[in-house]
Amino acid sequence: MRTPARTTVTALAFATAAAVTTAAGPASADVGDFTRTVIAEDAVGPAFTAVGDLVGDARPELVSTRYGKLTMQGPSALPEPGSVTLYENAGRKRGGGVDRWTTTPVVEPSDGIIFPSEPTLADVDRDGDTDIIQPAGYFWDSGMGFSRGSLTWWENRDNPRSVRELLALTTCPRTSRGVAQLKKCLAELREWKRHDVITDSPFSYHDLQFVDFDGDGRKDIVTVGEQGFNPSDTTDDVVELQFLKGDGKGGFAPPVALADGGGSSPVVTDVDGDGDLDIASAQYFGVSPVVVGPPTGEASFVWFERVGTAADGVTASDFEKHEISRGQGPSFSLHRVDNLFGDGEDRWVGVNHTNTTAGNPGPPVFLRAEPDVFLLTPGADPRAPWSVAPLASTVDPGAEFTASPRPGQAAPGKTGFGDIDGDGDLDLAVSGDGAFRLYWIEQTAPGVFAQHVLPESEGWGQAGGAKIADLDHDGNSDLVFSSFEINKVGIWSHTR
């Protein structure tokens, strides 16, 4: 979605953006086994949505980013600062539905964050509540002479849960003169507090992993910085895998470059089972759309094996890059899924990001990879290429990933995993992205999947989210998507 696609960001200029609404009025329709509820209409460029407990009431909240308004400067689309909003369910705590939400701004346009992308929800300062780590940046800024990429984290102070936060609140009665000052003091202490990790960077940041990467007991950041220059040149992009050492208190060291390449959404895991942490990812930039003939460019999916130790610090010399698979074309994401088939084994699922629609600019259609979701299976030696096959064995008529022919569009996009239909196994929620609709891939038997279009999702293009959770504790799964194309955030609730 958006940033991973070379030309998708250019196409964003064609999307219209209306004023932000702080109250969410529901618009629902019952279709088949799902009920759709639109919780935000006319939002300005909805991008990504995360789900987690941020207020301590045991129900998940939504954290939704908005890219904001794009303005044309000559042939270029230039973004204005975006925003991040917290959605809190205002219904009953159990079975209260998903049609009433209160909103709290976390990041506002005045904060100057450009293109806020995938938020990571985590307790950064280890005080017991959930904070927000926000990567941001516009891929094409470097080509226009800007350096506006950033990594920030936003401290959750809404409900004091630590001794430090409680002591801070006790200062207000001592320092305030009158009720008005007391209310202002308390409100300021409870607002989300900004902490800068990286600002004014030529790199744009799309996603990250918050994990103890060097084994010192304190969590770090592993991410990928990206810079785009000439939109018509597929070889001039700068992509850098980076490590930022954390101090366990919310501070981070400057980024260390670990490798050239990688993808927007790195996965930190022990790929080869040798007891240390490696990095795997899908790659978009540098991957040739032509998949017929001799191999050219970068592989679609790769992993970086840790061959050194962190004893002298984590550096580029500690990693060796291996190809997982090539031939799937530019790709969006790679996922290690726990117990996907219900047999206790982890499986790898890859998502490419291509367009074989006639009329779409680029090489002849027959030279390109079909857009799809794949099962990737390592052999006895994970350093050798893995086997690859489409995940879905059946696809409903008309439910293929068919991207729009409009320039810059590709499919599929964001993917989430969970038990959508309540039958006890894992299914997938998938954004069509450039296909301008949403999908769910149902596991009908262990390891057997069928692909469907999510009802009432036509037009929901360039959609983030793909999150699966029971948002109202009614026992049914809810699917969350936020669509840049139509400026809406919506929830699809399974009804049986």
Side-chain angles (χ1 to χ4, degrees), residues 263 265-269 271 278-282 302-304 324 334 348 386:
S265 300
V267 176
V268 176
T269 185
V271 175
D278 312 298
I279 304 169
S281 69
V302 297
W303 71 284
F304 299 86
I324 291 175
L334 181 62
W348 289 88
W386 301 7

Side-chain angles (χ1 to χ4, degrees), residues 17 29 129 319 434:
D129 54 23
F319 295 89

Side-chain angles (χ1 to χ4, degrees), residues 23-79:
S28 300
D30 290 327
V31 180
D33 294 335
F34 294 90
T35 299
R36 190 193 71 180
T37 304
V38 177
I39 66 169
E41 297 190 74
D42 298 326
V44 183
F48 294 88
T49 299
V51 176
D53 179 18
L54 287 91
V55 303
D57 72 349
R59 286 181 304 180
E61 284 73 51
L62 311 181
V63 176
S64 187
T65 71
R66 299 173 182 180
Y67 278 160
K69 186 178 180 181
L70 285 161
T71 57
M72 296 302 296
Q73 292 196 0
S76 302
L78 190 65

